[in-house]
Amino acid sequence: MLSRRIVVGAFAALSLSAHALAHPHNVLTNEQHGDIERQIMAFRAALKDAVVARDAARLKGMYAESFTHTHGSGKVDGRDARIVSLLTDDPTIEMASASELSLRVHGPDMVVLTGKSPIRNTRENRDYDFRWVQVYSRASGEWQLVVSQATRLPTTS
């Protein structure tokens, strides 16, 4: 009976080893991580350039087809509505100055970026601070913005 346990245990260990070898984890080197960070920051700059140039076609390629943005109010916009907001100079996190940036690389093809930005409320002619998150994904070798969300911070006196 002991030999059967050894055989079953060895088979289980071999199965687990084969599975681990078949699906290796994507561990990024510091250099790869830094390169992805630079790519995302360059993407953000290119997005601003496309807005300034009023290049709707380029912007459409920079946002995933399924892109959504959730506003601080809870309103949700899709890709086309977001591009309209950008091209009509609505205040957006993409165009606002940003601080407290935190970029987390989740493998070679996904990045989560968080930050804080002042966003102008045009009706009140006043800035409010927002914390926001953006998720980037690489498809066919190109980065795209796939989702973003902004939350208005409480005002301080």
Side-chain angles (χ1 to χ4, degrees):
M1 198 62 152
L2 180 60
S3 63
R4 180 182 167 127
R5 287 184 194 166
I6 292 172
V7 169
V8 169
F11 179 74
L14 285 173
S15 295
L16 290 174
S17 297
H19 179 73
L21 291 173
H23 301 287
H25 296 282
N26 289 329
V27 177
L28 299 174
T29 65
N30 287 340
E31 184 178 334
Q32 290 169 316
H33 192 278
D35 189 42
I36 290 170
E37 285 184 9
R38 284 185 290 282
Q39 290 171 21
I40 294 302
M41 298 316 284
F43 178 94
R44 287 175 50 84
L47 190 143
K48 286 183 178 186
D49 290 346
V51 171
V52 169
R54 302 287 191 243
D55 190 340
R58 185 170 170 207
L59 287 168
K60 195 168 187 175
M62 297 178 88
Y63 286 84
E65 187 174 337
S66 62
F67 171 83
T68 58
H69 173 76
T70 304
H71 294 262
S73 67
K75 177 185 168 197
V76 178
D77 287 340
R79 174 179 71 178
D80 292 341
R82 191 61 173 179
I83 291 170
V84 167
S85 291
L86 290 164
L87 295 178
T88 57
D89 295 324
D90 286 347
T92 63
I93 59 176
E94 290 92 334
M95 297 304 288
S97 62
S99 63
E100 300 181 28
L101 289 178
S102 173
L103 193 143
R104 293 181 300 276
V105 177
H106 293 275
D109 297 321
M110 190 179 105
V111 171
V112 176
L113 180 65
T114 59
K116 180 180 171 185
S117 295
I119 303 293
R120 170 120 343 230
N121 179 317
T122 54
R123 285 186 299 267
E124 297 176 16
N125 197 31
R126 174 180 176 181
D127 289 342
Y128 290 96
D129 285 330
F130 282 78
R131 287 214 181 272
W132 50 264
V133 60
Q134 294 180 321
V135 178
Y136 299 84
S137 177
R138 186 171 11 212
S140 301
E142 298 295 325
W143 287 105
Q144 288 187 315
L145 190 51
V146 295
V147 68
S148 63
Q149 186 269 325
T151 301
R152 189 172 122 182
L153 298 174
T155 55
T156 56
S157 304

